[in-house]
Amino acid sequence: MSWWDSYRAVYGAELRAAAREYADHGWPLVPGPGADVLLATGDVLDVVEVPAAIGRQVCRTLREAGEVVPVAATPQGTWWFPMTPRHALPAELSLHTDVVLHTDGIGVVAPPTELPDGWVQWRVAPARVGYRVPEASVVVEAVSDAVRNRNATPEVPVDEVAALRR
């Protein structure tokens, strides 16, 4: 067996184990193309996906509030947060194209899925919180705070930062 075949066999076993673990804890799956693990949204959980910079702020806000929630990171530079289903985003968040609510049966690529540019991985694994899906209102409020803080703090271009240091 070549190293590539060996790698694919181990990776396939990891995917099957992850899918079984999600299903065993009540997190529904939908069939995905190829070897993807896709969590089904809409009944047990929904997912809000944000850029990594906002995701870090969301985690900080939740941690300060004593909340630990599952968080996944994608190789595209986004983080996603599972939450209880059927909670619409407030108008202020719906205006931001980089804040996406996955709901109504949409499949969300879950760890340890490999994508062309990297792996989807847990930043905070659901096992750490007993696969508890946090209340949507808590997650959405933390996302709203992070977006407000980002909009209130103007970003300084990198060249200007370098010029200020001289």
Side-chain angles (χ1 to χ4, degrees), residues 15-27 29 126-127 131:
L15 285 172
R16 286 187 300 278
R20 191 172 17 262
E21 188 173 344
Y22 298 142
D24 287 350
H25 289 92
W27 287 27
L29 301 167
Y131 284 83

Side-chain angles (χ1 to χ4, degrees), residues 15 38 62 68 98 138 165:
L15 285 172
L38 297 175
L62 292 171
V68 178
D98 56 356
V138 172
R165 290 185 181 153

